Coordinates of all heavy atoms in Angstrom, one line a residue:
M8 N 256.0 236.6 81.4 CA 255.1 236.4 82.4 C 255.5 235.3 83.4 O 255.9 234.3 82.9 CB 253.7 236.0 81.8 CG 252.6 236.0 82.8 SD 250.9 236.0 82.0 CE 250.7 234.2 81.9
K9 N 255.4 235.7 84.7 CA 255.9 234.6 85.6 C 254.8 233.7 86.1 O 253.7 234.1 86.3 CB 256.5 235.4 86.9 CG 257.1 234.5 87.9 CD 257.7 235.4 89.0 CE 258.3 234.5 90.0 NZ 257.7 234.6 91.3
E10 N 255.1 232.4 86.0 CA 254.2 231.4 86.5 C 254.2 231.2 88.0 O 255.4 231.1 88.6 CB 254.4 230.1 85.9 CG 254.1 229.9 84.3 CD 254.4 228.7 83.8 OE1 255.0 227.8 84.4 OE2 254.1 228.5 82.5
T11 N 253.1 231.2 88.6 CA 253.1 231.0 90.1 C 251.9 230.0 90.3 O 250.7 230.3 90.3 CB 252.7 232.2 90.8 OG1 253.6 233.4 90.3 CG2 252.9 232.1 92.4
W12 N 252.4 228.7 90.5 CA 251.4 227.6 90.6 C 250.9 227.6 92.0 O 251.7 227.6 92.9 CB 251.9 226.3 90.2 CG 252.3 226.3 88.6 CD1 253.4 226.4 88.1 CD2 251.3 226.1 87.6 NE1 253.3 226.4 86.7 CE2 252.0 226.2 86.4 CE3 250.0 225.9 87.6 CZ2 251.3 226.1 85.1 CZ3 249.2 225.8 86.4 CH2 250.0 225.8 85.2
V13 N 249.6 227.4 92.2 CA 249.1 227.3 93.5 C 248.1 226.2 93.6 O 247.3 226.0 92.7 CB 248.1 228.6 93.8 CG1 247.5 228.6 95.1 CG2 249.1 229.9 93.7
R14 N 248.3 225.3 94.6 CA 247.5 224.2 94.8 C 246.1 224.7 95.3 O 245.9 225.4 96.2 CB 248.0 223.2 95.8 CG 247.2 222.0 96.1 CD 247.8 221.2 97.3 NE 247.2 219.9 97.4 CZ 245.9 219.7 97.8 NH1 245.2 220.7 98.3 NH2 245.5 218.4 98.0
V15 N 245.0 224.3 94.5 CA 243.7 224.8 94.9 C 242.6 223.8 95.4 O 241.7 224.0 96.0 CB 243.0 225.6 93.8 CG1 243.9 226.9 93.5 CG2 242.8 224.8 92.4
A16 N 242.9 222.4 94.9 CA 242.0 221.4 95.3 C 242.7 220.1 95.0 O 243.6 220.0 94.3 CB 240.7 221.4 94.5
A17 N 242.1 219.0 95.7 CA 242.5 217.7 95.3 C 241.8 217.2 94.0 O 240.6 217.6 93.7 CB 241.9 216.6 96.4
E18 N 242.5 216.6 93.1 CA 241.9 216.4 91.7 C 240.6 215.5 91.9 O 239.7 215.7 91.2 CB 243.0 215.5 91.0 CG 242.5 215.3 89.5 CD 243.4 214.5 88.7 OE1 244.7 214.3 89.1 OE2 243.1 214.0 87.6
G19 N 240.6 214.6 92.8 CA 239.5 213.8 93.0 C 238.2 214.4 93.5 O 237.1 213.9 93.5
D20 N 238.4 215.7 94.0 CA 237.2 216.3 94.4 C 236.4 217.2 93.3 O 235.4 217.6 93.6 CB 237.6 217.5 95.5 CG 238.0 216.9 96.8 OD1 237.7 215.7 97.0 OD2 238.6 217.6 97.6
V21 N 237.0 217.2 92.1 CA 236.4 217.7 90.9 C 235.5 216.8 90.3 O 236.0 215.8 89.8 CB 237.4 218.3 90.0 CG1 236.7 219.1 88.9 CG2 238.4 219.3 90.7
P22 N 234.3 216.9 90.4 CA 233.4 215.9 89.8 C 233.4 215.9 88.3 O 233.3 217.0 87.7 CB 231.9 216.2 90.3 CG 232.0 217.6 90.8 CD 233.5 218.0 90.9
E23 N 233.4 214.7 87.6 CA 233.2 214.8 86.2 C 231.9 215.2 85.7 O 230.8 214.9 86.3 CB 233.4 213.1 85.7 CG 233.1 213.0 84.2 CD 234.2 213.6 83.3 OE1 235.3 213.6 83.7 OE2 233.8 214.2 82.2
G24 N 231.9 216.2 84.8 CA 230.6 216.8 84.3 C 230.1 217.8 85.3 O 228.9 218.2 85.1
G25 N 230.8 218.1 86.3 CA 230.3 219.0 87.4 C 231.2 220.2 87.7 O 232.2 220.4 86.9
T26 N 231.0 220.8 88.8 CA 231.8 222.0 89.1 C 232.3 221.8 90.5 O 231.8 221.1 91.3 CB 231.0 223.4 89.1 OG1 229.9 223.2 90.0 CG2 230.4 223.5 87.6
L27 N 233.3 222.6 90.9 CA 233.9 222.7 92.3 C 234.3 224.2 92.5 O 235.3 224.6 91.8 CB 235.0 221.7 92.6 CG 235.5 221.8 94.0 CD1 234.5 221.3 95.0 CD2 236.8 221.0 94.0
Q28 N 233.8 224.9 93.5 CA 234.3 226.2 93.8 C 235.5 226.0 94.6 O 235.6 225.2 95.5 CB 233.2 227.0 94.5 CG 233.7 228.5 94.7 CD 232.7 229.2 95.6 OE1 232.5 228.8 96.7 NE2 232.1 230.3 95.0
A29 N 236.5 226.8 94.3 CA 237.8 226.9 95.1 C 238.3 228.2 95.2 O 237.6 229.3 94.7 CB 238.8 225.9 94.3
R30 N 239.4 228.4 95.9 CA 240.0 229.8 96.0 C 241.4 229.9 95.5 O 242.1 229.0 95.7 CB 239.9 230.3 97.4 CG 238.4 230.5 97.8 CD 238.3 231.5 99.1 NE 238.5 232.8 98.7 CZ 237.4 233.6 98.3 NH1 236.2 233.0 98.1 NH2 237.6 234.8 98.0
L31 N 241.6 230.8 94.7 CA 243.1 231.1 94.3 C 243.4 232.5 94.9 O 243.1 233.5 94.5 CB 243.1 231.3 92.7 CG 244.5 231.6 92.1 CD1 245.5 230.6 92.5 CD2 244.4 231.8 90.7
G32 N 244.1 232.3 96.2 CA 244.2 233.6 97.0 C 242.9 234.1 97.4 O 242.1 233.5 97.9
S33 N 242.7 235.4 97.0 CA 241.3 236.0 97.5 C 240.3 235.7 96.3 O 239.2 236.2 96.6 CB 241.5 237.5 97.7 OG 242.1 238.2 96.5
E34 N 240.7 235.2 95.3 CA 239.8 235.0 94.1 C 238.9 233.8 94.1 O 239.6 232.7 94.2 CB 240.5 235.1 92.8 CG 241.1 236.4 92.4 CD 241.8 236.3 91.1 OE1 241.2 235.8 90.1 OE2 242.9 236.9 90.9
P35 N 237.7 233.8 93.9 CA 236.9 232.6 93.8 C 237.0 232.1 92.4 O 236.9 232.9 91.4 CB 235.5 233.1 94.1 CG 235.4 234.5 93.7 CD 236.8 235.0 94.0
V36 N 237.3 230.8 92.3 CA 237.5 230.2 91.1 C 236.5 229.0 91.0 O 236.1 228.4 91.9 CB 238.9 229.8 90.7 CG1 239.8 230.9 90.6 CG2 239.4 228.7 91.8
C37 N 236.1 228.7 89.7 CA 235.3 227.4 89.5 C 236.2 226.4 88.7 O 236.7 226.8 87.7 CB 234.1 227.8 88.8 SG 232.9 226.5 88.5
L38 N 236.2 225.2 89.2 CA 236.8 224.0 88.5 C 235.9 223.1 87.8 O 234.8 223.0 88.4 CB 237.7 223.3 89.6 CG 238.7 224.0 90.4 CD1 239.4 223.0 91.4 CD2 239.7 224.8 89.6
Y39 N 236.2 222.6 86.7 CA 235.4 221.8 86.0 C 236.2 220.5 85.5 O 237.3 220.7 85.3 CB 234.9 222.4 84.7 CG 234.4 223.9 84.8 CD1 235.3 224.9 84.9 CD2 233.0 224.0 84.9 CE1 234.8 226.3 85.0 CE2 232.5 225.4 85.1 CZ 233.4 226.4 85.1 OH 233.0 227.8 85.3
K40 N 235.5 219.4 85.3 CA 236.1 218.2 84.7 C 235.2 217.7 83.6 O 234.1 217.4 83.8 CB 236.3 217.1 85.7 CG 237.3 216.0 85.2 CD 237.4 215.0 86.3 CE 238.4 215.3 87.4 NZ 238.5 214.2 88.4
I41 N 235.9 217.8 82.3 CA 235.1 217.4 81.2 C 236.0 216.4 80.5 O 237.1 216.6 80.0 CB 234.9 218.6 80.2 CG1 234.1 219.8 80.9 CG2 234.2 218.1 79.0 CD1 234.2 221.0 80.1
D42 N 235.4 215.1 80.4 CA 236.1 214.0 79.8 C 237.4 213.8 80.4 O 238.5 213.6 79.7 CB 236.3 214.3 78.2 CG 234.9 214.2 77.5 OD1 234.0 213.5 78.0 OD2 234.8 214.9 76.5
G43 N 237.5 214.0 81.7 CA 238.7 213.8 82.5 C 239.7 214.8 82.5 O 240.7 214.8 83.2
R44 N 239.4 215.9 81.7 CA 240.3 217.0 81.7 C 239.8 218.2 82.6 O 238.6 218.4 82.7 CB 240.5 217.5 80.3 CG 241.5 218.7 80.2 CD 242.0 218.9 78.9 NE 242.9 220.0 78.9 CZ 243.4 220.7 77.8 NH1 243.1 220.1 76.6 NH2 244.2 221.6 77.9
V45 N 240.7 218.8 83.5 CA 240.3 219.8 84.4 C 240.5 221.2 83.8 O 241.6 221.5 83.2 CB 240.9 219.6 85.7 CG1 240.6 220.7 86.6 CG2 240.7 218.3 86.3
Y46 N 239.5 222.1 83.9 CA 239.6 223.4 83.5 C 239.3 224.4 84.7 O 238.6 223.9 85.7 CB 238.6 223.8 82.4 CG 238.7 222.9 81.2 CD1 238.1 221.7 81.1 CD2 239.4 223.3 80.0 CE1 238.2 220.9 79.9 CE2 239.6 222.6 79.0 CZ 239.0 221.3 78.9 OH 239.2 220.6 77.8
A47 N 239.6 225.6 84.6 CA 239.3 226.6 85.6 C 238.9 227.9 85.1 O 239.6 228.4 84.1 CB 240.5 226.7 86.5
T48 N 237.9 228.6 85.6 CA 237.5 229.9 85.3 C 237.3 230.7 86.6 O 237.2 230.1 87.6 CB 236.3 230.0 84.5 OG1 235.1 229.7 85.4 CG2 236.2 229.1 83.3
H49 N 237.3 232.1 86.6 CA 236.9 232.8 87.5 C 235.5 232.3 88.0 O 234.6 231.8 87.1 CB 236.8 234.3 87.2 CG 236.9 235.1 88.5 ND1 235.6 235.4 89.2 CD2 237.8 235.8 89.2 CE1 236.0 236.1 90.3 NE2 237.3 236.5 90.2
D50 N 235.0 232.3 89.2 CA 233.8 231.8 89.6 C 232.6 232.9 89.5 O 231.4 232.4 89.5 CB 233.8 231.4 91.1 CG 232.5 230.6 91.5 OD1 232.1 229.6 90.7 OD2 232.0 231.0 92.5
T51 N 232.9 234.0 89.4 CA 231.8 235.0 89.3 C 231.4 235.3 87.9 O 232.1 235.7 87.0 CB 232.3 236.3 90.0 OG1 232.8 236.0 91.3 CG2 231.0 237.4 90.1
C52 N 230.1 235.1 87.6 CA 229.5 235.3 86.3 C 229.7 236.8 85.9 O 229.6 237.7 86.8 CB 228.0 235.1 86.3 SG 227.2 235.4 84.7
T53 N 230.1 237.1 84.7 CA 230.4 238.5 84.3 C 229.1 239.3 84.1 O 229.1 240.5 83.9 CB 231.2 238.6 83.0 OG1 230.5 237.9 81.9 CG2 232.6 237.8 83.1
H54 N 228.0 238.7 84.1 CA 226.7 239.3 84.0 C 226.2 240.0 85.4 O 225.6 241.0 85.5 CB 225.6 238.5 83.4 CG 224.3 239.1 83.4 ND1 223.2 238.8 84.1 CD2 223.9 240.2 82.5 CE1 222.1 239.6 83.8 NE2 222.6 240.4 82.9
G55 N 226.5 239.1 86.4 CA 225.9 239.5 87.7 C 226.8 238.9 88.9 O 228.0 238.8 88.7
R56 N 226.2 238.6 90.0 CA 227.0 238.3 91.1 C 226.9 236.7 91.4 O 227.2 236.3 92.4 CB 226.5 238.9 92.4 CG 227.0 240.4 92.4 CD 228.2 240.5 93.1 NE 229.0 241.7 92.9 CZ 230.3 241.8 92.9 NH1 231.1 240.8 93.0 NH2 231.0 243.1 92.6
A57 N 226.5 236.0 90.3 CA 226.2 234.6 90.6 C 227.5 233.8 90.6 O 228.4 234.2 89.9 CB 225.2 234.1 89.5
S58 N 227.5 232.7 91.3 CA 228.6 231.8 91.3 C 228.5 230.8 90.1 O 227.4 230.1 90.1 CB 228.7 231.1 92.7 OG 229.5 229.9 92.6
L59 N 229.4 230.7 89.3 CA 229.3 229.7 88.2 C 229.3 228.3 88.6 O 228.7 227.4 88.0 CB 230.5 229.9 87.1 CG 230.3 231.2 86.4 CD1 231.5 231.4 85.5 CD2 229.1 231.3 85.6
A60 N 229.9 228.1 90.0 CA 229.9 226.7 90.4 C 228.4 226.3 90.7 O 228.2 225.1 90.9 CB 230.7 226.7 91.7
D61 N 227.5 227.2 90.9 CA 226.1 226.8 91.1 C 225.4 226.5 89.8 O 224.2 226.2 89.7 CB 225.4 228.0 91.8 CG 225.7 228.2 93.2 OD1 226.3 227.1 93.8 OD2 225.6 229.3 93.9
G62 N 226.1 226.7 88.7 CA 225.5 226.5 87.3 C 225.5 225.0 86.9 O 225.8 224.3 87.7
T63 N 225.2 224.9 85.6 CA 225.0 223.5 85.1 C 226.0 223.4 83.9 O 226.0 224.3 83.0 CB 223.6 223.2 84.6 OG1 222.7 223.5 85.7 CG2 223.5 221.9 84.0
V64 N 226.8 222.4 83.9 CA 227.7 222.1 82.8 C 226.9 221.4 81.7 O 226.2 220.4 81.9 CB 228.8 221.2 83.3 CG1 229.8 220.7 82.1 CG2 229.6 221.9 84.3
R65 N 226.9 222.0 80.5 CA 226.3 221.4 79.3 C 227.4 221.3 78.2 O 227.8 222.2 77.6 CB 225.2 222.4 78.9 CG 224.1 222.5 79.9 CD 223.0 223.2 79.3 NE 221.9 223.5 80.4 CZ 221.2 222.7 81.0 NH1 221.1 221.4 80.7 NH2 220.2 223.0 82.0
G66 N 227.8 220.1 78.1 CA 228.9 219.8 77.2 C 230.2 220.6 77.6 O 230.7 220.4 78.6
E67 N 230.7 221.5 76.8 CA 231.9 222.3 77.1 C 231.5 223.7 77.6 O 232.3 224.5 77.7 CB 232.8 222.4 76.0 CG 233.5 221.3 75.5 CD 234.7 221.6 74.6 OE1 234.6 222.5 73.8 OE2 235.8 220.8 74.7
E68 N 230.1 223.8 78.0 CA 229.7 225.1 78.4 C 229.1 225.0 79.8 O 228.7 224.0 80.3 CB 228.6 225.6 77.5 CG 229.1 225.9 76.1 CD 228.0 226.3 75.1 OE1 226.8 226.3 75.5 OE2 228.4 226.5 73.9
I69 N 229.3 226.2 80.6 CA 228.5 226.4 81.9 C 227.5 227.3 81.8 O 227.6 228.4 81.1 CB 229.7 226.8 82.9 CG1 228.9 227.1 84.4 CG2 230.4 228.1 82.5 CD1 228.6 225.7 84.9
E70 N 226.3 226.9 82.2 CA 225.2 227.7 82.2 C 224.9 228.3 83.5 O 224.8 227.6 84.6 CB 224.0 226.9 81.7 CG 222.6 227.7 81.7 CD 221.5 226.9 81.3 OE1 220.9 226.2 82.1 OE2 221.1 226.8 80.0
C71 N 224.9 229.6 83.6 CA 224.7 230.3 84.9 C 223.4 230.1 85.5 O 222.4 230.1 84.7 CB 225.0 231.9 84.7 SG 224.7 232.8 86.1
A72 N 223.3 229.8 86.8 CA 222.1 229.5 87.4 C 221.1 230.6 87.5 O 219.9 230.4 87.6 CB 222.4 228.9 88.8
L73 N 221.6 231.8 87.4 CA 220.8 233.0 87.6 C 219.9 233.4 86.4 O 218.7 233.5 86.7 CB 221.7 234.1 88.2 CG 220.8 235.3 89.0 CD1 220.0 234.7 90.0 CD2 221.9 236.3 89.5
H74 N 220.5 233.6 85.3 CA 219.8 234.0 84.2 C 220.0 233.2 83.0 O 219.7 233.6 81.8 CB 220.1 235.6 83.9 CG 219.9 236.5 84.9 ND1 220.9 237.1 85.6 CD2 218.9 236.9 85.7 CE1 220.6 237.9 86.6 NE2 219.2 237.7 86.6
K75 N 220.7 232.1 83.2 CA 220.9 231.1 82.1 C 221.8 231.5 81.0 O 221.9 231.0 79.8 CB 219.6 230.7 81.4 CG 218.5 230.3 82.4 CD 218.9 229.0 83.2 CE 217.8 228.6 84.1 NZ 218.3 227.6 85.1
G76 N 222.7 232.6 81.1 CA 223.8 232.9 80.3 C 224.7 231.7 80.2 O 224.8 231.1 81.2
R77 N 225.7 231.8 79.2 CA 226.5 230.6 79.0 C 227.9 231.0 78.6 O 228.1 232.1 77.9 CB 225.9 229.5 78.1 CG 224.6 228.8 78.6 CD 224.5 227.5 77.9 NE 224.7 227.6 76.4 CZ 223.7 227.9 75.6 NH1 222.5 228.1 76.1 NH2 223.9 227.9 74.3
F78 N 229.0 230.3 79.1 CA 230.3 230.5 78.7 C 230.9 229.2 78.3 O 230.5 228.0 78.8 CB 231.2 231.0 79.9 CG 230.7 232.3 80.6 CD1 229.8 232.2 81.6 CD2 231.2 233.5 80.1 CE1 229.4 233.4 82.3 CE2 230.7 234.6 80.8 CZ 229.9 234.6 81.7
H79 N 231.7 229.3 77.3 CA 232.6 228.1 76.8 C 233.7 228.1 77.8 O 234.5 228.9 78.0 CB 233.1 228.4 75.4 CG 234.0 227.5 74.9 ND1 235.4 227.4 74.6 CD2 233.7 226.1 74.6 CE1 235.7 226.4 74.1 NE2 234.8 225.5 74.1
I80 N 233.7 226.8 78.5 CA 234.6 226.6 79.6 C 236.0 226.7 79.2 O 236.9 227.5 79.9 CB 234.2 225.3 80.4 CG1 232.9 225.4 81.0 CG2 235.3 224.9 81.3 CD1 232.3 224.1 81.4
P81 N 236.5 226.1 78.2 CA 238.0 226.1 77.9 C 238.5 227.4 77.5 O 239.6 227.7 77.9 CB 238.1 225.1 76.7 CG 237.0 224.1 76.8 CD 235.8 225.1 77.4
S82 N 237.7 228.2 76.9 CA 238.1 229.6 76.4 C 237.7 230.8 77.4 O 238.2 231.8 77.2 CB 237.7 229.7 74.9 OG 236.3 230.0 75.0
G83 N 236.6 230.5 78.0 CA 236.0 231.6 78.9 C 235.1 232.6 78.0 O 234.6 233.6 78.5
K84 N 234.9 232.2 76.8 CA 234.1 233.1 75.9 C 232.6 233.1 76.3 O 232.1 231.9 76.5 CB 234.3 232.6 74.5 CG 233.8 233.5 73.4 CD 234.2 233.0 72.0 CE 233.6 233.7 70.9 NZ 233.2 235.1 71.0
A85 N 232.1 234.3 76.3 CA 230.6 234.3 76.5 C 229.9 233.9 75.3 O 230.2 234.4 74.2 CB 230.2 235.8 76.9
V86 N 229.0 232.9 75.4 CA 228.3 232.3 74.2 C 226.8 232.5 74.2 O 226.2 232.1 73.2 CB 228.8 230.9 74.0 CG1 230.3 230.8 73.7 CG2 228.5 230.0 75.1
A87 N 226.3 232.9 75.3 CA 224.8 233.1 75.3 C 224.4 234.2 76.1 O 224.9 234.3 77.3 CB 224.1 231.8 75.8
V88 N 223.5 235.1 75.7 CA 223.0 236.2 76.5 C 222.3 235.8 77.6 O 221.7 234.6 77.6 CB 222.2 237.2 75.5 CG1 223.1 237.8 74.5 CG2 221.1 236.5 75.1
P89 N 222.2 236.5 78.7 CA 222.7 237.9 78.7 C 224.3 238.0 79.0 O 224.7 239.2 79.2 CB 221.9 238.3 79.9 CG 221.7 237.3 80.9 CD 221.5 236.2 79.9
C90 N 225.0 237.0 79.0 CA 226.4 237.2 79.1 C 227.1 237.6 77.9 O 226.9 237.0 76.8 CB 227.1 235.8 79.5 SG 226.4 235.2 81.1
V91 N 227.8 238.7 77.9 CA 228.5 239.2 76.7 C 229.9 239.5 77.0 O 230.7 239.6 76.0 CB 227.8 240.6 76.3 CG1 226.5 240.3 75.7 CG2 227.8 241.6 77.3
R92 N 230.4 239.5 78.3 CA 231.8 239.7 78.6 C 232.4 238.4 78.9 O 231.8 237.6 79.8 CB 232.0 240.7 79.7 CG 231.9 242.1 79.3 CD 232.4 243.0 80.4 NE 231.7 242.9 81.7 CZ 232.2 242.6 82.9 NH1 233.5 242.6 83.0 NH2 231.5 242.5 83.9
N93 N 233.5 238.0 78.3 CA 234.2 236.7 78.6 C 234.6 236.6 80.1 O 234.7 237.6 80.8 CB 235.4 236.5 77.8 CG 235.1 236.6 76.3 OD1 233.9 236.5 75.9 ND2 236.1 236.8 75.5
V94 N 234.6 235.4 80.6 CA 235.0 235.1 81.9 C 236.5 234.7 81.9 O 237.0 234.0 81.0 CB 234.2 234.2 82.6 CG1 234.4 232.7 82.1 CG2 234.4 234.0 84.1
R95 N 237.4 235.1 82.9 CA 238.7 234.8 82.9 C 238.9 233.3 83.1 O 238.2 232.7 83.8 CB 239.4 235.5 84.1 CG 240.9 235.2 84.2 CD 241.6 235.9 85.3 NE 243.0 235.6 85.5 CZ 243.7 236.0 86.5 NH1 243.3 236.8 87.4 NH2 245.0 235.6 86.5
T96 N 239.9 232.8 82.4 CA 240.3 231.3 82.5 C 241.7 231.3 83.1 O 242.5 232.2 83.1 CB 240.3 230.6 81.1 OG1 241.2 231.3 80.3 CG2 238.9 230.6 80.6
Y97 N 242.0 230.1 83.7 CA 243.4 229.9 84.3 C 244.0 228.7 83.8 O 243.4 227.7 83.4 CB 243.1 229.7 85.9 CG 242.5 230.9 86.5 CD1 241.2 231.0 86.6 CD2 243.3 231.9 87.1 CE1 240.5 232.1 87.2 CE2 242.7 232.9 87.7 CZ 241.2 233.0 87.7 OH 240.7 234.1 88.4
A98 N 245.4 228.7 83.6 CA 246.1 227.5 83.3 C 246.0 226.6 84.4 O 246.1 226.9 85.6 CB 247.6 228.0 82.9
V99 N 245.9 225.3 84.1 CA 245.8 224.2 85.0 C 246.8 223.2 84.8 O 247.1 222.9 83.7 CB 244.3 223.5 84.8 CG1 244.3 222.4 85.7 CG2 243.2 224.5 84.9
K100 N 247.3 222.7 85.9 CA 248.1 221.5 86.0 C 247.8 220.6 87.0 O 247.3 221.0 88.0 CB 249.6 221.8 85.9 CG 250.3 222.2 87.2 CD 251.8 222.2 87.1 CE 252.4 222.8 88.4 NZ 253.8 222.8 88.4
L101 N 247.9 219.3 86.7 CA 247.7 218.3 87.7 C 248.9 217.6 88.1 O 249.6 217.1 87.3 CB 246.6 217.2 87.1 CG 245.3 217.7 86.5 CD1 244.6 216.7 85.8 CD2 244.6 218.5 87.6
E102 N 249.1 217.6 89.4 CA 250.4 217.1 89.9 C 250.1 216.6 91.4 O 249.4 217.3 92.2 CB 251.4 218.2 89.9 CG 252.8 217.7 90.0 CD 253.9 218.8 89.7 OE1 254.1 219.2 88.5 OE2 254.3 219.4 90.8
D103 N 250.8 215.6 91.7 CA 250.7 214.9 93.1 C 249.2 214.8 93.6 O 248.8 215.1 94.7 CB 251.4 215.9 94.2 CG 252.9 216.0 93.8 OD1 253.4 215.0 93.2 OD2 253.5 217.1 94.1
G104 N 248.2 214.5 92.7 CA 246.9 214.3 92.9 C 246.1 215.5 93.2 O 245.0 215.6 93.7
A105 N 246.7 216.7 92.8 CA 246.0 218.0 93.2 C 246.0 218.7 91.8 O 246.5 218.6 90.9 CB 246.9 218.7 94.2
V106 N 245.1 219.7 91.9 CA 244.8 220.7 90.9 C 245.6 222.0 91.2 O 245.4 222.5 92.2 CB 243.4 221.1 90.8 CG1 243.2 222.1 89.6 CG2 242.5 219.9 90.4
W107 N 246.4 222.4 90.3 CA 247.2 223.5 90.5 C 246.8 224.6 89.4 O 246.7 224.3 88.3 CB 248.6 223.4 90.3 CG 249.3 222.3 91.3 CD1 249.0 221.0 91.3 CD2 250.1 222.6 92.5 NE1 249.7 220.3 92.4 CE2 250.3 221.3 93.0 CE3 250.6 223.7 93.0 CZ2 251.1 221.2 94.2 CZ3 251.4 223.6 94.1 CH2 251.6 222.3 94.8
L108 N 246.7 225.9 89.8 CA 246.3 227.0 88.9 C 247.5 227.9 88.9 O 248.1 228.2 89.9 CB 245.0 227.7 89.3 CG 243.8 226.9 89.4 CD1 242.6 227.9 89.7 CD2 243.5 226.0 88.2
D109 N 247.7 228.5 87.7 CA 248.7 229.5 87.5 C 248.1 230.8 88.0 O 247.3 231.4 87.3 CB 249.1 229.6 86.1 CG 250.3 230.6 85.9 OD1 250.7 231.2 86.9 OD2 250.7 230.9 84.8
G110 N 248.6 231.3 89.1 CA 248.0 232.6 89.7 C 248.8 233.8 89.3 O 248.6 234.9 89.7
G111 N 249.8 233.6 88.3 CA 250.6 234.7 87.9 C 249.8 235.6 87.1 O 248.7 235.3 86.6
C112 N 250.3 236.9 86.9 CA 249.6 237.8 86.1 C 250.5 238.6 85.2 O 251.7 238.3 85.1 CB 248.8 238.9 86.9 SG 249.8 239.5 88.2
Ligands
FES222 FE1 224.9 235.0 85.4 FE2 223.0 236.8 84.9 S1 224.2 236.6 86.7 S2 223.6 235.1 83.6

């Protein structure tokens, strides 16, 4: 698998304990910072059309704003109904003060 790192945001723009919506090419992604570590998932909830960036971070989980389903942020695993399909996660690296995601497939 080929790695293709893409700069998606300044590291300082990702709030601790919060979310930041960004774009990886045409894909909306959601960035999170938990205990200083940055994670990334696809931004669209797998249950509906909601943006996970509008949700609430609870520990290592993101709670969708629309129907309160939840995902484990580091793994993308759906952990609370109505979400049953996992959300895609992305490899993250921090370099030159920026957040880079692996957009390879
Ligand atoms: Fe996210 Fe329904 S759209 S839980």
Side-chain angles (χ1 to χ4, degrees):
M8 188 168 91
K9 185 173 178 238
E10 291 181 352
T11 309
W12 293 101
V13 178
R14 183 190 188 284
V15 296
E18 183 182 349
D20 287 347
V21 186
E23 175 66 42
T26 65
L27 178 71
Q28 190 187 56
R30 293 202 79 84
L31 178 60
S33 61
E34 289 181 44
V36 295
C37 185
L38 307 178
Y39 313 84
K40 190 179 285 177
I41 303 170
D42 295 332
R44 183 163 177 186
V45 177
Y46 299 89
T48 69
H49 199 282
D50 187 51
T51 306
C52 181
T53 60
H54 178 249
R56 285 267 164 216
S58 165
L59 292 179
D61 291 337
T63 303
V64 175
R65 300 191 185 284
E67 288 194 327
E68 296 176 359
I69 179 69
E70 182 179 83
C71 180
L73 200 51
H74 306 112
K75 310 296 184 197
R77 293 199 311 270
F78 300 92
H79 180 243
I80 293 167
S82 66
K84 188 170 172 34
V86 293
V88 292
C90 299
V91 293
R92 281 192 302 127
N93 299 343
V94 68
R95 180 179 176 184
T96 59
Y97 301 86
V99 175
K100 75 173 179 180
L101 304 178
E102 198 172 278
D103 299 330
V106 179
W107 300 73
L108 302 188
D109 181 6
C112 49

